[in-house]
Structure formats: C-alpha cells, structure tokens
Amino acid sequence: MANLLITEISSLAGIIENGALKLKGAEMAQFHAIADAWLWIENGKISDYGEMRNLDSSRFESIAHNRISAKDRFVLPCFVDSHTHIVFAKTREEEFVMRIKGKTYEEIAESGGGILNSAKRLQEMSEDELFVQAKQRLWDLIAFGTGAIEIKSGYGLTVVDELKMLRVIKRLKAISPIPIKATFLGAHAIPSAYKANRADYIRLIIEEMLPAVHAENLADYMDVFCDQGFFTPTETDALLEAAKSYGLKAKIHGNELGYTGGVQAAVRNHALSVDHLEYTGDDEIKCLLQSDTMPVALPGCSFFLGIPYAPLRKMIDAGLPVCLASDFNPGSTPNGRMGFVVALACTQMKLSPEEALNATTINGAYALELSHEIGSITRGKRANVFITKPMSSLAIMPYYFGVDQVSKVIINGEVFDSH
Ligand code: NIG
Ligand code: FE
C-alpha cells in the first residue's frame, strides 16, 4: 500500500466531508471541489488534502512516498460501476447486425438468440478461458477509471454453469486491486428446455442453485430480470424471498421493456437497487420515493439498442437519488467505459456534469454497499482516484464524448499499470 503526494491539482473534485453515503435530488448538483490543491495518500488511503498555498511538504519528509504534479488537471474519485456482466464467452455482433436490419432485441431473444445465445457459448467454454478473458476486460476498465465494480452471473443457466461463472468472479475478486461484488443472476432468462414448464426452472434456482451458491459463498447479491418475456413480479417475489433466506440482498433488472412491475417488486423486496428503468412513470417514481432502493440507469444500453433513456431528469427533480452504470455485456451494451456513460447522461438525459459524476461515483458505491469505503474524496477512504488530461472545466469530460479524459489511474495509492 503506497504513499503518494499529488500536488498542483487544478481541481480536486468529488469531495464529501459530511459522511453522506448517497446524494439525492438537488444535492446531486453539488460536486464539491478545491482549486489549486494537494492530495496526500498514505497506506493506500486518502489521508489529507488542502490548498497548495497551505501545503507544508516537510510534514511528509520522513515518510517514503512518490510525488506527482497534476498541473492543469483534475483529480476525481474513480468511477464505481455497479452493474456489469463482464464474464461472457463470445461477442454477439451478428445480433447487432440483425437489429440494424430491423429485428428487435425481444424478437431475437424469443427466437433463441440473446441471453440464451450467450448461455450456449458460455456453457462450451472452460472456467480458465472465461477467467482469462474477464480479467483482461476488468484490467481495461480499471485503466478507463473504474475503481470498484459489480459482476453478475446469468449466462450459465444450469447449476454447473452458473457456479462456473460465479467461481470465475470469485477468482477475479482474489486478484483484483479494486473491490468487486458478485451477483447471482440465475434468473436472467428461462432456458429453452424449460419454456413449457417455467416453474421447474424457478424451482431449480431455488432448490439447487441457491443452496450451492450459498455453500461456496459465491455471491453477495441476487438479481432477477423482472420484465416482459422474462420473469414475472410474482416469480420475482418467490425468487427473492428464497434469496433472503440465504442472506442475499436483491438487485433487479426491471422496467427495461415495459411498465411491468419491476420497480414495485424491487421496492417490495427491499432491493438495494433497481436497474434499467427505461420505462419509469409517475407510479414508479412515487414508489421509489418511499424506499431506500437506488434507481440505476444504464444509458449505454439505450444507446446501443435504440430504446428510450430512463427519465433521470424527472427522477432527480422529484427528489430521488440516481445512479449510472455501464451494464457491460455482449448483447445490449458491449462497452464498459464510464466516461461514455457520463457523456450519455449529460447529452441524452440532461444531467449536469456534476450530477452525472455523483451518479457514477458515490451513488454507484451506495448501490454496492461500498460508500463508506469508496466513491468520493473523503479522508480515510480508499485512494482509488484518477488524474485527468489537462481540462479547463469538469464539463470537458462529457463535452469530448467518446474520448476518455482519464490520464492516470491511481489504485490504493499506486499508479495502475494495465499491462
Ligand atoms: O442488462 N436486460 C437484461 N440483461 C442484460 C442483457 C443481456 C444480454 O442481452 O446478453 C442487460 O441489458
Ligand atoms: Fe444488465
């Protein structure tokens, strides 16, 4: 765990000093910053910071440390990506081309493509091969500024293959320099063999998958794709009730394809987050306002599938907290760059740069129960931060959409080397 002094920082931004674990409504517009600042990292943790004019470097002389100048640059907390599917076997660009030619995501799924296509390919791949590929994706994402991440199963859909995916995630946890949370998503789709008797698949999840996942301590959370053509709210209730008996909190994929009760199911089951939300109306907003469930939008999915964007502007204006994540997966979002998520949030969803950054840092951390340890510039938190390219203001990040402004990523106080 390293010691590092960063000096001459044009703006040290994303500072939280009041202990807030999430930000909601109008609070999201504040991304507190100090101009012309220094940041002292000790033993991999944010130890102190202040203005350059008050820097007394003699304080650090007796402690071995590295020193970096961040002149003209911003230093920000790393992104927290609270929703990904980075363990997968193959790309699905043929479905992408089918969609360009007019087929919808749901039509492709109904004809055995989509998630079932990914499951077939994953079932044929060894755990070792999946691990090598996923590790490379994880390392690439860290280099783009992600400092904590969630990874889901859900492309196994058999007992053996769901466990295989979760073991890959467990191995990633063991070697990852950044925190990882694992989510069991056996309820991602009904396998073809169970189309006529879906209750049997739900029983398989509850009676075989969940006990095995629990026995090996493979998951932190349980997710269900509660949407039209996938799992119903009633099925979701049964699945999450079972998960609860194994101590697994809920996360939900919901309201991506319609107003199908996913939000209500999430709130009813005290889910930590409900993710997607492309179809969110007044009833859903009212429901979320009475809960601690974090709404999570995945604008990369809307961009890639050409479906509506979640109405985050309306949700923030109603007083809700909102979070943004990548959803990196081979079907709906083959991209995990959080800088692009920020750009989409600003250009398509009308969030200010400050709101988009809070949604991808502290509120992402909340959605993973990590906001006491990461997600802001706060004394005592893990020093997962990045130094930008020279930037005149925060708005430059989304302004140069598609171009990463991340220049150096610091993980636990050390410069991250992606090679
Ligand atoms: O979050 N919507 C459900 N699951 C994934 C997509 C899965 C896939 O198409 O492979 C998502 O978008
Ligand atoms: Fe997803």
Side-chain angles (χ1 to χ4, degrees):
M1 293 289 178
N3 304 322
L4 174 67
L5 180 63
I6 310 178
T7 58
E8 300 173 285
I9 304 166
S10 164
S11 176
L12 176 66
I15 298 170
I16 294 184
E17 293 185 332
N18 65 359
L21 297 178
K22 66 175 170 185
L23 298 175
K24 62 179 165 53
E27 295 164 357
M28 291 193 65
Q30 301 297 325
F31 198 64
H32 291 289
I34 300 179
D36 197 20
W38 53 273
L39 174 68
W40 170 241
I41 295 169
E42 197 168 327
N43 292 323
K45 297 260 165 67
I46 295 170
S47 175
D48 206 359
Y49 51 81
E51 290 179 44
M52 277 310 281
R53 63 190 169 91
N54 298 327
L55 173 63
D56 172 14
S57 320
S58 66
R59 228 179 104 185
F60 312 118
E61 263 163 22
S62 60
I63 311 171
H65 66 272
N66 295 313
R67 192 175 168 136
I68 299 177
S69 164
K71 199 164 169 8
D72 301 325
R73 298 160 192 266
F74 280 57
V75 171
L76 305 177
C78 275
F79 299 117
V80 177
D81 192 350
S82 68
H83 182 140
T84 83
H85 310 246
I86 64 167
V87 179
F88 61 86
K90 298 251 170 63
T91 52
R92 302 211 313 255
E93 65 274 27
E94 65 290 351
E95 294 180 6
F96 167 53
V97 175
M98 282 161 79
R99 283 192 295 100
I100 292 172
K101 293 184 178 162
K103 281 245 180 314
T104 68
Y105 180 76
E106 284 166 279
E107 282 165 358
I108 293 168
E110 273 157 27
S111 59
I115 295 165
L116 297 184
N117 182 6
S118 277
K120 185 167 171 290
R121 293 167 179 207
L122 183 132
Q123 289 162 6
E124 289 160 1
M125 193 171 272
S126 73
E127 183 183 312
D128 284 347
E129 209 174 331
L130 287 167
F131 172 76
V132 170
Q133 284 196 24
K135 183 192 165 215
Q136 186 58 53
R137 287 183 199 116
L138 176 62
W139 257 239
D140 289 347
L141 294 182
I142 298 171
F144 290 127
T146 294
I149 197 166
E150 182 254 20
I151 310 174
K152 299 176 194 294
S153 70
Y155 290 131
L157 307 185
T158 67
V159 179
V160 170
D161 295 295
E162 282 297 310
L163 292 177
K164 179 168 78 177
M165 281 191 86
L166 289 167
R167 288 189 193 117
V168 170
I169 303 172
K170 191 170 189 174
R171 284 168 68 182
L172 291 172
K173 278 190 181 190
I175 57 150
S176 169
I178 68 168
I180 297 179
K181 290 284 177 116
T183 301
F184 168 53
L185 178 55
H188 200 188
I190 304 273
S192 317
Y194 290 88
K195 277 267 138 68
N197 47 350
R198 45 193 296 134
D200 285 351
Y201 185 61
I202 290 162
R203 212 167 303 131
L204 183 77
I205 296 175
I206 294 175
E207 291 177 8
E208 294 191 36
M209 291 187 191
L210 267 172
V213 168
H214 177 72
E216 282 186 53
N217 194 17
L218 291 173
D220 300 296
Y221 306 120
M222 161 97 167
D223 195 341
V224 178
F225 190 8
C226 176
D227 220 321
Q228 85 201 4
F230 292 86
F231 293 84
T232 66
T234 311
E235 291 167 345
T236 302
D237 285 343
L239 287 159
L240 294 181
E241 195 56 42
K244 199 161 88 189
S245 70
Y246 290 103
L248 297 181
K249 284 192 192 161
K251 281 182 158 290
I252 299 243
H253 277 75
N255 294 58
E256 175 187 359
L257 307 170
Y259 296 97
T260 49
V263 167
Q264 288 80 356
V267 169
R268 200 164 54 236
N269 288 287
H270 305 285
L272 198 48
S273 72
V274 57
D275 305 27
H276 269 290
L277 304 176
E278 287 82 353
Y279 291 86
T280 299
D282 292 341
D283 287 349
E284 284 77 14
I285 290 178
K286 210 182 289 162
C287 182
L288 284 163
L289 278 168
Q290 285 152 14
S291 79
D292 287 324
T293 300
M294 176 63 76
V296 181
L298 310 166
C301 174
S302 300
F303 174 82
F304 193 66
L305 293 186
I307 62 175
Y309 286 86
L312 289 199
R313 180 72 270 144
K314 194 171 167 191
M315 293 161 76
I316 295 175
D317 292 345
L320 284 171
V322 303
C323 168
L324 290 154
S326 77
D327 198 18
F328 192 174
N329 75 77
S332 73
T333 322
N335 187 308
R337 294 192 191 195
M338 292 296 280
F340 186 54
V341 169
V342 168
L344 287 173
C346 296
T347 59
Q348 308 302 306
M349 303 163 114
K350 304 296 173 218
L351 268 64
S352 67
E354 291 80 6
E355 288 170 330
L357 283 159
N358 279 318
T360 48
T361 55
I362 189 69
N363 284 357
Y366 177 87
L368 297 182
E369 298 180 292
L370 287 175
S371 44
H372 54 284
E373 98 170 66
I374 205 159
S376 62
I377 303 294
T378 302
R379 290 180 185 85
K381 281 196 181 180
R382 220 181 236 266
N384 289 9
V385 302
F386 62 82
I387 304 175
T388 67
K389 296 176 185 169
M391 297 200 308
S392 49
S393 78
L394 208 57
I396 285 290
M397 288 185 73
Y399 170 84
Y400 279 130
F401 69 90
V403 179
D404 280 285
Q405 295 304 310
V406 176
S407 158
K408 252 191 194 61
V409 178
I410 315 282
I411 300 293
N412 305 317
E414 278 174 51
V415 176
F416 179 72
D417 179 1
S418 62
H419 303 292

